Amino acid sequence: METVADNWGTLALVALTEGSYRFNALRRRVDGVSEKMLAQTLHALERDGLVTRDVQATFPPRVEYTLTAPGARIAETLRALIDALEAEIPAIMTAREDYDRRH
Amino acid sequence: METVADNWGTLALVALTEGSYRFNALRRRVDGVSEKMLAQTLHALERDGLVTRDVQATFPPRVEYTLTAPGARIAETLRALIDALEAEIPAIMTAREDYDRRH
DNA sequence: CTGTATCCCCTTTGATACTG
DNA sequence: CAGTATCAAAGGGGATACAG
């Protein structure tokens, strides 16, 4: 549960709602993630059955990451959460300004 | 955004959907949170306008924490996420067992 | 009761270098 | 391209003690 909800797990799942990605393409898409953290995150998601890893034994190697059905369902609710948070951003920003002015 | 979505922030918001809580009651409700982290979390949520802090100048002091409207909206989507995750737990557990058996 | 302040560990993460 | 290995740094988070 913690692995899904962490920063990189969320971003990777949401990015994969757009379709399959190869490792480095996904890394470019998930801005700021290091190789290590993306590899670690994808392993955890694969272990939980939320992402599949399709290796093509070519040279250079191609590895495609794709959401499974459970992964897609979770990614969708993550997106709903992100949308809800973004909708509140203006309110949060003004609340912060008020708070900071008073403290 | 990070403060809402972190572990203790999520648990505090969801707990407060049940109604107002005083500090130590909330601390007992959010199992495992330390004084320090709960205070820190509540400050962040108050600053973002998601929680209000009502101080009663009695002795001993009473402080009630209550969700604001934006806080309630976000808490609801967090609950939706938690429910969606819980619905996938059986699938995740069997996926893990399969994965671990193969690796 | 409702917190704040301090200390400190230890996990997470980023950088870097290397392999198949 | 797709990673793994190693190391160092930073910060989260718990325990404890104290204050209003």
Side-chain angles (χ1 to χ4, degrees):
Chain A
M1 193 131 174
E2 311 75 37
T3 73
V4 171
D6 80 351
N7 189 21
W8 300 131
T10 299
L11 293 176
L13 284 171
V14 170
L16 286 169
T17 59
E18 299 164 2
S20 299
Y21 273 100
R22 297 174 61 184
F23 187 86
N24 278 317
L26 185 58
R27 188 172 169 215
R28 282 185 294 273
R29 176 65 183 69
V30 179
D31 203 56
V33 70
S34 65
E35 288 185 354
K36 180 179 145 185
M37 292 315 299
L38 183 56
Q40 200 174 104
T41 298
L42 288 171
H43 282 161
L45 294 175
E46 187 196 2
R47 183 166 101 102
D48 287 352
L50 304 180
V51 159
T52 57
R53 187 165 172 280
D54 303 314
V55 185
Q56 293 160 36
T58 59
F59 189 85
R62 292 175 67 95
V63 182
E64 296 263 346
Y65 291 93
T66 312
L67 290 183
T68 62
R73 286 193 291 272
I74 289 177
E76 203 156 333
T77 70
L78 285 171
R79 170 146 292 290
L81 174 61
I82 290 170
D83 291 346
L85 284 171
E86 283 182 346
E88 304 296 346
I89 285 181
I92 290 176
M93 296 307 277
T94 64
R96 279 193 190 174
E97 284 167 18
D98 290 357
Y99 183 95
D100 291 345
R101 199 172 309 119
R102 270 197 297 279
H103 297 76
Chain B
M1 195 131 173
E2 310 75 36
T3 72
V4 171
D6 80 352
N7 189 21
W8 300 131
T10 299
L11 293 177
L13 284 172
V14 170
L16 287 168
T17 60
E18 300 165 0
S20 301
Y21 273 101
R22 296 175 60 185
F23 186 85
N24 278 319
L26 185 57
R27 187 170 170 219
R28 283 186 292 272
R29 176 66 182 68
V30 179
D31 202 56
V33 70
S34 65
E35 289 184 353
K36 178 180 146 184
M37 293 316 299
L38 183 57
Q40 201 174 102
T41 298
L42 288 170
H43 281 162
L45 294 175
E46 187 196 2
R47 184 166 102 101
D48 287 353
L50 304 180
V51 160
T52 57
R53 188 165 170 281
D54 303 314
V55 184
Q56 293 160 33
T58 59
F59 189 87
R62 292 174 67 93
V63 182
E64 295 264 347
Y65 292 92
T66 311
L67 290 183
T68 63
R73 285 193 290 273
I74 289 176
E76 203 155 334
T77 69
L78 286 171
R79 170 147 290 292
L81 174 61
I82 290 170
D83 290 347
L85 285 171
E86 284 183 343
E88 305 295 348
I89 285 182
I92 290 175
M93 296 307 277
T94 64
R96 279 193 189 173
E97 283 167 18
D98 289 358
Y99 183 95
D100 290 346
R101 198 172 309 118
R102 271 198 296 278
H103 296 78

mmCIF file of all heavy atoms in Angstrom, chain B residues 63-102:
data_model
loop_
_atom_site.group_PDB
_atom_site.id
_atom_site.type_symbol
_atom_site.label_atom_id
_atom_site.label_comp_id
_atom_site.label_asym_id
_atom_site.label_seq_id
_atom_site.Cartn_x
_atom_site.Cartn_y
_atom_site.Cartn_z
ATOM 1 N N VAL B 63 -8.680 21.968 22.541
ATOM 2 C CA VAL B 63 -8.484 22.399 21.159
ATOM 3 C C VAL B 63 -9.173 21.380 20.257
ATOM 4 O O VAL B 63 -8.871 20.190 20.331
ATOM 5 C CB VAL B 63 -6.987 22.504 20.803
ATOM 6 C CG1 VAL B 63 -6.825 23.009 19.383
ATOM 7 C CG2 VAL B 63 -6.275 23.411 21.785
ATOM 8 N N GLU B 64 -10.095 21.883 19.473
ATOM 9 C CA GLU B 64 -10.836 20.996 18.574
ATOM 10 C C GLU B 64 -10.369 21.200 17.136
ATOM 11 O O GLU B 64 -10.245 22.339 16.664
ATOM 12 C CB GLU B 64 -12.346 21.328 18.634
ATOM 13 C CG GLU B 64 -12.994 21.069 19.977
ATOM 14 C CD GLU B 64 -13.672 19.707 20.038
ATOM 15 O OE1 GLU B 64 -13.850 19.083 18.967
ATOM 16 O OE2 GLU B 64 -14.018 19.278 21.154
ATOM 17 N N TYR B 65 -10.133 20.109 16.459
ATOM 18 C CA TYR B 65 -9.761 20.165 15.047
ATOM 19 C C TYR B 65 -10.934 19.681 14.200
ATOM 20 O O TYR B 65 -11.527 18.643 14.484
ATOM 21 C CB TYR B 65 -8.538 19.298 14.788
ATOM 22 C CG TYR B 65 -7.304 19.857 15.440
ATOM 23 C CD1 TYR B 65 -6.931 19.460 16.716
ATOM 24 C CD2 TYR B 65 -6.535 20.811 14.790
ATOM 25 C CE1 TYR B 65 -5.806 19.999 17.321
ATOM 26 C CE2 TYR B 65 -5.411 21.350 15.387
ATOM 27 C CZ TYR B 65 -5.054 20.938 16.657
ATOM 28 O OH TYR B 65 -3.948 21.486 17.248
ATOM 29 N N THR B 66 -11.248 20.451 13.175
ATOM 30 C CA THR B 66 -12.402 20.153 12.322
ATOM 31 C C THR B 66 -12.029 20.386 10.867
ATOM 32 O O THR B 66 -11.276 21.307 10.561
ATOM 33 C CB THR B 66 -13.575 21.091 12.681
ATOM 34 O OG1 THR B 66 -13.760 21.083 14.095
ATOM 35 C CG2 THR B 66 -14.856 20.666 11.974
ATOM 36 N N LEU B 67 -12.568 19.573 9.982
ATOM 37 C CA LEU B 67 -12.325 19.756 8.551
ATOM 38 C C LEU B 67 -13.035 21.011 8.053
ATOM 39 O O LEU B 67 -14.155 21.303 8.457
ATOM 40 C CB LEU B 67 -12.849 18.552 7.755
ATOM 41 C CG LEU B 67 -12.107 17.230 7.890
ATOM 42 C CD1 LEU B 67 -12.740 16.197 6.965
ATOM 43 C CD2 LEU B 67 -10.637 17.393 7.551
ATOM 44 N N THR B 68 -12.392 21.729 7.145
ATOM 45 C CA THR B 68 -13.070 22.786 6.399
ATOM 46 C C THR B 68 -13.747 22.147 5.181
ATOM 47 O O THR B 68 -13.614 20.937 4.950
ATOM 48 C CB THR B 68 -12.055 23.823 5.891
ATOM 49 O OG1 THR B 68 -11.167 23.164 4.985
ATOM 50 C CG2 THR B 68 -11.276 24.420 7.046
ATOM 51 N N ALA B 69 -14.430 22.962 4.390
ATOM 52 C CA ALA B 69 -15.072 22.419 3.186
ATOM 53 C C ALA B 69 -14.043 21.844 2.211
ATOM 54 O O ALA B 69 -14.207 20.703 1.751
ATOM 55 C CB ALA B 69 -15.933 23.500 2.518
ATOM 56 N N PRO B 70 -12.981 22.588 1.894
ATOM 57 C CA PRO B 70 -11.965 21.981 1.010
ATOM 58 C C PRO B 70 -11.350 20.736 1.635
ATOM 59 O O PRO B 70 -11.110 19.733 0.944
ATOM 60 C CB PRO B 70 -10.913 23.085 0.872
ATOM 61 C CG PRO B 70 -11.625 24.353 1.179
ATOM 62 C CD PRO B 70 -12.677 24.007 2.182
ATOM 63 N N GLY B 71 -11.114 20.781 2.925
ATOM 64 C CA GLY B 71 -10.546 19.621 3.601
ATOM 65 C C GLY B 71 -11.452 18.410 3.490
ATOM 66 O O GLY B 71 -10.989 17.286 3.275
ATOM 67 N N ALA B 72 -12.754 18.635 3.622
ATOM 68 C CA ALA B 72 -13.701 17.526 3.530
ATOM 69 C C ALA B 72 -13.718 16.951 2.121
ATOM 70 O O ALA B 72 -13.797 15.731 1.936
ATOM 71 C CB ALA B 72 -15.097 18.004 3.933
ATOM 72 N N ARG B 73 -13.627 17.842 1.113
ATOM 73 C CA ARG B 73 -13.628 17.343 -0.268
ATOM 74 C C ARG B 73 -12.399 16.484 -0.527
ATOM 75 O O ARG B 73 -12.486 15.408 -1.136
ATOM 76 C CB ARG B 73 -13.666 18.523 -1.248
ATOM 77 C CG ARG B 73 -15.032 19.183 -1.343
ATOM 78 C CD ARG B 73 -15.126 20.126 -2.545
ATOM 79 N NE ARG B 73 -14.317 21.322 -2.402
ATOM 80 C CZ ARG B 73 -14.708 22.444 -1.815
ATOM 81 N NH1 ARG B 73 -15.915 22.524 -1.273
ATOM 82 N NH2 ARG B 73 -13.915 23.488 -1.762
ATOM 83 N N ILE B 74 -11.248 16.954 -0.073
ATOM 84 C CA ILE B 74 -10.027 16.185 -0.286
ATOM 85 C C ILE B 74 -10.067 14.871 0.504
ATOM 86 O O ILE B 74 -9.680 13.819 -0.005
ATOM 87 C CB ILE B 74 -8.793 17.026 0.100
ATOM 88 C CG1 ILE B 74 -8.604 18.118 -0.947
ATOM 89 C CG2 ILE B 74 -7.559 16.163 0.228
ATOM 90 C CD1 ILE B 74 -7.483 19.078 -0.649
ATOM 91 N N ALA B 75 -10.566 14.942 1.726
ATOM 92 C CA ALA B 75 -10.638 13.727 2.546
ATOM 93 C C ALA B 75 -11.509 12.678 1.866
ATOM 94 O O ALA B 75 -11.213 11.479 1.928
ATOM 95 C CB ALA B 75 -11.199 14.069 3.930
ATOM 96 N N GLU B 76 -12.555 13.156 1.187
ATOM 97 C CA GLU B 76 -13.443 12.205 0.531
ATOM 98 C C GLU B 76 -12.735 11.493 -0.625
ATOM 99 O O GLU B 76 -12.886 10.277 -0.794
ATOM 100 C CB GLU B 76 -14.675 12.953 0.000
ATOM 101 C CG GLU B 76 -15.870 12.070 -0.203
ATOM 102 C CD GLU B 76 -17.159 12.889 -0.127
ATOM 103 O OE1 GLU B 76 -17.140 13.953 0.557
ATOM 104 O OE2 GLU B 76 -18.143 12.500 -0.747
ATOM 105 N N THR B 77 -11.957 12.221 -1.393
ATOM 106 C CA THR B 77 -11.248 11.558 -2.492
ATOM 107 C C THR B 77 -10.138 10.660 -1.944
ATOM 108 O O THR B 77 -9.836 9.626 -2.541
ATOM 109 C CB THR B 77 -10.650 12.571 -3.486
ATOM 110 O OG1 THR B 77 -9.589 13.275 -2.860
ATOM 111 C CG2 THR B 77 -11.715 13.555 -3.944
ATOM 112 N N LEU B 78 -9.569 11.049 -0.807
ATOM 113 C CA LEU B 78 -8.589 10.152 -0.188
ATOM 114 C C LEU B 78 -9.254 8.847 0.230
ATOM 115 O O LEU B 78 -8.697 7.768 0.055
ATOM 116 C CB LEU B 78 -7.948 10.831 1.032
ATOM 117 C CG LEU B 78 -6.933 11.922 0.722
ATOM 118 C CD1 LEU B 78 -6.538 12.653 1.991
ATOM 119 C CD2 LEU B 78 -5.702 11.330 0.051
ATOM 120 N N ARG B 79 -10.438 8.965 0.787
ATOM 121 C CA ARG B 79 -11.156 7.760 1.186
ATOM 122 C C ARG B 79 -11.464 6.894 -0.030
ATOM 123 O O ARG B 79 -11.376 5.670 0.014
ATOM 124 C CB ARG B 79 -12.447 8.125 1.927
ATOM 125 C CG ARG B 79 -13.355 6.940 2.159
ATOM 126 C CD ARG B 79 -14.133 7.035 3.436
ATOM 127 N NE ARG B 79 -13.300 6.883 4.603
ATOM 128 C CZ ARG B 79 -12.681 5.748 4.960
ATOM 129 N NH1 ARG B 79 -12.790 4.650 4.222
ATOM 130 N NH2 ARG B 79 -11.945 5.700 6.037
ATOM 131 N N ALA B 80 -11.825 7.533 -1.142
ATOM 132 C CA ALA B 80 -12.094 6.773 -2.365
ATOM 133 C C ALA B 80 -10.839 6.015 -2.795
ATOM 134 O O ALA B 80 -10.920 4.848 -3.203
ATOM 135 C CB ALA B 80 -12.562 7.715 -3.476
ATOM 136 N N LEU B 81 -9.701 6.673 -2.675
ATOM 137 C CA LEU B 81 -8.447 6.009 -3.037
ATOM 138 C C LEU B 81 -8.175 4.818 -2.123
ATOM 139 O O LEU B 81 -7.830 3.730 -2.584
ATOM 140 C CB LEU B 81 -7.283 7.002 -2.957
ATOM 141 C CG LEU B 81 -5.889 6.396 -3.184
ATOM 142 C CD1 LEU B 81 -5.783 5.778 -4.565
ATOM 143 C CD2 LEU B 81 -4.817 7.450 -2.977
ATOM 144 N N ILE B 82 -8.367 5.035 -0.840
ATOM 145 C CA ILE B 82 -8.132 3.950 0.114
ATOM 146 C C ILE B 82 -9.063 2.778 -0.174
ATOM 147 O O ILE B 82 -8.642 1.615 -0.174
ATOM 148 C CB ILE B 82 -8.323 4.464 1.553
ATOM 149 C CG1 ILE B 82 -7.182 5.420 1.911
ATOM 150 C CG2 ILE B 82 -8.402 3.307 2.546
ATOM 151 C CD1 ILE B 82 -7.384 6.175 3.205
ATOM 152 N N ASP B 83 -10.322 3.078 -0.437
ATOM 153 C CA ASP B 83 -11.270 2.003 -0.743
ATOM 154 C C ASP B 83 -10.839 1.249 -1.996
ATOM 155 O O ASP B 83 -10.902 0.018 -2.040
ATOM 156 C CB ASP B 83 -12.680 2.587 -0.929
ATOM 157 C CG ASP B 83 -13.266 3.095 0.386
ATOM 158 O OD1 ASP B 83 -12.702 2.765 1.455
ATOM 159 O OD2 ASP B 83 -14.264 3.824 0.355
ATOM 160 N N ALA B 84 -10.407 1.996 -3.014
ATOM 161 C CA ALA B 84 -9.979 1.348 -4.254
ATOM 162 C C ALA B 84 -8.770 0.459 -3.997
ATOM 163 O O ALA B 84 -8.683 -0.665 -4.510
ATOM 164 C CB ALA B 84 -9.648 2.404 -5.315
ATOM 165 N N LEU B 85 -7.843 0.946 -3.176
ATOM 166 C CA LEU B 85 -6.665 0.142 -2.860
ATOM 167 C C LEU B 85 -7.058 -1.105 -2.087
ATOM 168 O O LEU B 85 -6.569 -2.200 -2.362
ATOM 169 C CB LEU B 85 -5.665 0.972 -2.047
ATOM 170 C CG LEU B 85 -4.876 2.001 -2.837
ATOM 171 C CD1 LEU B 85 -4.087 2.911 -1.895
ATOM 172 C CD2 LEU B 85 -3.926 1.308 -3.802
ATOM 173 N N GLU B 86 -7.958 -0.936 -1.127
ATOM 174 C CA GLU B 86 -8.351 -2.097 -0.334
ATOM 175 C C GLU B 86 -9.036 -3.140 -1.195
ATOM 176 O O GLU B 86 -8.875 -4.340 -0.973
ATOM 177 C CB GLU B 86 -9.264 -1.650 0.816
ATOM 178 C CG GLU B 86 -8.463 -0.976 1.926
ATOM 179 C CD GLU B 86 -9.328 -0.583 3.109
ATOM 180 O OE1 GLU B 86 -10.569 -0.532 2.952
ATOM 181 O OE2 GLU B 86 -8.758 -0.311 4.184
ATOM 182 N N ALA B 87 -9.777 -2.678 -2.190
ATOM 183 C CA ALA B 87 -10.456 -3.621 -3.070
ATOM 184 C C ALA B 87 -9.453 -4.474 -3.843
ATOM 185 O O ALA B 87 -9.743 -5.611 -4.209
ATOM 186 C CB ALA B 87 -11.371 -2.872 -4.044
ATOM 187 N N GLU B 88 -8.245 -3.935 -4.066
ATOM 188 C CA GLU B 88 -7.240 -4.667 -4.850
ATOM 189 C C GLU B 88 -6.311 -5.496 -3.977
ATOM 190 O O GLU B 88 -5.457 -6.217 -4.500
ATOM 191 C CB GLU B 88 -6.411 -3.694 -5.691
ATOM 192 C CG GLU B 88 -7.228 -2.787 -6.611
ATOM 193 C CD GLU B 88 -7.959 -3.557 -7.703
ATOM 194 O OE1 GLU B 88 -7.658 -4.748 -7.890
ATOM 195 O OE2 GLU B 88 -8.842 -2.973 -8.347
ATOM 196 N N ILE B 89 -6.445 -5.384 -2.679
ATOM 197 C CA ILE B 89 -5.502 -6.079 -1.803
ATOM 198 C C ILE B 89 -5.429 -7.582 -2.070
ATOM 199 O O ILE B 89 -4.325 -8.132 -2.185
ATOM 200 C CB ILE B 89 -5.809 -5.781 -0.319
ATOM 201 C CG1 ILE B 89 -5.348 -4.360 0.021
ATOM 202 C CG2 ILE B 89 -5.101 -6.776 0.601
ATOM 203 C CD1 ILE B 89 -5.557 -3.950 1.462
ATOM 204 N N PRO B 90 -6.552 -8.279 -2.229
ATOM 205 C CA PRO B 90 -6.439 -9.718 -2.508
ATOM 206 C C PRO B 90 -5.626 -9.989 -3.771
ATOM 207 O O PRO B 90 -4.736 -10.859 -3.768
ATOM 208 C CB PRO B 90 -7.891 -10.160 -2.679
ATOM 209 C CG PRO B 90 -8.687 -9.149 -1.931
ATOM 210 C CD PRO B 90 -7.958 -7.866 -2.075
ATOM 211 N N ALA B 91 -5.914 -9.236 -4.833
ATOM 212 C CA ALA B 91 -5.173 -9.430 -6.080
ATOM 213 C C ALA B 91 -3.693 -9.149 -5.864
ATOM 214 O O ALA B 91 -2.822 -9.874 -6.364
ATOM 215 C CB ALA B 91 -5.738 -8.526 -7.177
ATOM 216 N N ILE B 92 -3.393 -8.113 -5.115
ATOM 217 C CA ILE B 92 -1.993 -7.751 -4.876
ATOM 218 C C ILE B 92 -1.282 -8.841 -4.083
ATOM 219 O O ILE B 92 -0.143 -9.217 -4.392
ATOM 220 C CB ILE B 92 -1.917 -6.390 -4.151
ATOM 221 C CG1 ILE B 92 -2.340 -5.268 -5.098
ATOM 222 C CG2 ILE B 92 -0.512 -6.142 -3.615
ATOM 223 C CD1 ILE B 92 -2.417 -3.897 -4.455
ATOM 224 N N MET B 93 -1.973 -9.386 -3.079
ATOM 225 C CA MET B 93 -1.334 -10.409 -2.264
ATOM 226 C C MET B 93 -0.996 -11.642 -3.091
ATOM 227 O O MET B 93 0.112 -12.194 -2.974
ATOM 228 C CB MET B 93 -2.256 -10.799 -1.096
ATOM 229 C CG MET B 93 -2.511 -9.672 -0.116
ATOM 230 S SD MET B 93 -1.007 -8.891 0.516
ATOM 231 C CE MET B 93 -0.582 -10.030 1.841
ATOM 232 N N THR B 94 -1.917 -12.072 -3.927
ATOM 233 C CA THR B 94 -1.613 -13.258 -4.730
ATOM 234 C C THR B 94 -0.542 -12.943 -5.760
ATOM 235 O O THR B 94 0.326 -13.776 -6.043
ATOM 236 C CB THR B 94 -2.876 -13.805 -5.438
ATOM 237 O OG1 THR B 94 -3.351 -12.832 -6.367
ATOM 238 C CG2 THR B 94 -3.962 -14.118 -4.435
ATOM 239 N N ALA B 95 -0.558 -11.725 -6.307
ATOM 240 C CA ALA B 95 0.493 -11.337 -7.260
ATOM 241 C C ALA B 95 1.854 -11.397 -6.579
ATOM 242 O O ALA B 95 2.828 -11.880 -7.159
ATOM 243 C CB ALA B 95 0.223 -9.934 -7.797
ATOM 244 N N ARG B 96 1.910 -10.946 -5.345
ATOM 245 C CA ARG B 96 3.179 -10.963 -4.616
ATOM 246 C C ARG B 96 3.655 -12.384 -4.383
ATOM 247 O O ARG B 96 4.838 -12.685 -4.538
ATOM 248 C CB ARG B 96 3.022 -10.284 -3.261
ATOM 249 C CG ARG B 96 3.090 -8.802 -3.363
ATOM 250 C CD ARG B 96 3.245 -8.181 -1.999
ATOM 251 N NE ARG B 96 3.097 -6.738 -2.095
ATOM 252 C CZ ARG B 96 3.046 -5.925 -1.057
ATOM 253 N NH1 ARG B 96 3.101 -6.418 0.171
ATOM 254 N NH2 ARG B 96 2.932 -4.633 -1.227
ATOM 255 N N GLU B 97 2.733 -13.239 -4.004
ATOM 256 C CA GLU B 97 3.130 -14.624 -3.756
ATOM 257 C C GLU B 97 3.679 -15.259 -5.033
ATOM 258 O O GLU B 97 4.719 -15.922 -5.002
ATOM 259 C CB GLU B 97 1.934 -15.426 -3.238
ATOM 260 C CG GLU B 97 1.625 -15.139 -1.776
ATOM 261 C CD GLU B 97 0.267 -15.690 -1.368
ATOM 262 O OE1 GLU B 97 -0.264 -16.552 -2.090
ATOM 263 O OE2 GLU B 97 -0.262 -15.227 -0.334
ATOM 264 N N ASP B 98 2.977 -15.044 -6.148
ATOM 265 C CA ASP B 98 3.464 -15.579 -7.418
ATOM 266 C C ASP B 98 4.847 -15.044 -7.727
ATOM 267 O O ASP B 98 5.761 -15.794 -8.083
ATOM 268 C CB ASP B 98 2.502 -15.185 -8.552
ATOM 269 C CG ASP B 98 1.187 -15.935 -8.445
ATOM 270 O OD1 ASP B 98 1.050 -16.772 -7.524
ATOM 271 O OD2 ASP B 98 0.296 -15.673 -9.268
ATOM 272 N N TYR B 99 4.985 -13.747 -7.590
ATOM 273 C CA TYR B 99 6.254 -13.101 -7.924
ATOM 274 C C TYR B 99 7.378 -13.639 -7.048
ATOM 275 O O TYR B 99 8.452 -13.987 -7.531
ATOM 276 C CB TYR B 99 6.114 -11.591 -7.745
ATOM 277 C CG TYR B 99 7.346 -10.807 -8.119
ATOM 278 C CD1 TYR B 99 7.479 -10.253 -9.384
ATOM 279 C CD2 TYR B 99 8.378 -10.613 -7.204
ATOM 280 C CE1 TYR B 99 8.600 -9.529 -9.731
ATOM 281 C CE2 TYR B 99 9.515 -9.894 -7.552
ATOM 282 C CZ TYR B 99 9.620 -9.358 -8.816
ATOM 283 O OH TYR B 99 10.739 -8.643 -9.156
ATOM 284 N N ASP B 100 7.113 -13.725 -5.755
ATOM 285 C CA ASP B 100 8.157 -14.154 -4.822
ATOM 286 C C ASP B 100 8.526 -15.616 -5.050
ATOM 287 O O ASP B 100 9.670 -16.012 -4.854
ATOM 288 C CB ASP B 100 7.682 -13.951 -3.378
ATOM 289 C CG ASP B 100 7.591 -12.471 -3.028
ATOM 290 O OD1 ASP B 100 8.140 -11.646 -3.788
ATOM 291 O OD2 ASP B 100 6.951 -12.141 -2.013
ATOM 292 N N ARG B 101 7.556 -16.418 -5.490
ATOM 293 C CA ARG B 101 7.862 -17.812 -5.749
ATOM 294 C C ARG B 101 8.785 -17.925 -6.948
ATOM 295 O O ARG B 101 9.639 -18.803 -7.023
ATOM 296 C CB ARG B 101 6.563 -18.594 -6.006
ATOM 297 C CG ARG B 101 6.732 -20.095 -5.850
ATOM 298 C CD ARG B 101 5.393 -20.808 -5.928
ATOM 299 N NE ARG B 101 4.411 -20.230 -5.026
ATOM 300 C CZ ARG B 101 3.265 -19.667 -5.430
ATOM 301 N NH1 ARG B 101 2.961 -19.621 -6.716
ATOM 302 N NH2 ARG B 101 2.436 -19.149 -4.548
ATOM 303 N N ARG B 102 8.632 -17.019 -7.887
ATOM 304 C CA ARG B 102 9.437 -17.094 -9.112
ATOM 305 C C ARG B 102 10.799 -16.425 -8.957
ATOM 306 O O ARG B 102 11.646 -16.560 -9.849
ATOM 307 C CB ARG B 102 8.685 -16.436 -10.266
ATOM 308 C CG ARG B 102 7.787 -17.400 -11.023
ATOM 309 C CD ARG B 102 7.413 -16.837 -12.365
ATOM 310 N NE ARG B 102 6.609 -15.625 -12.250
ATOM 311 C CZ ARG B 102 5.289 -15.617 -12.028
ATOM 312 N NH1 ARG B 102 4.639 -16.745 -11.893
ATOM 313 N NH2 ARG B 102 4.639 -14.490 -11.943
#
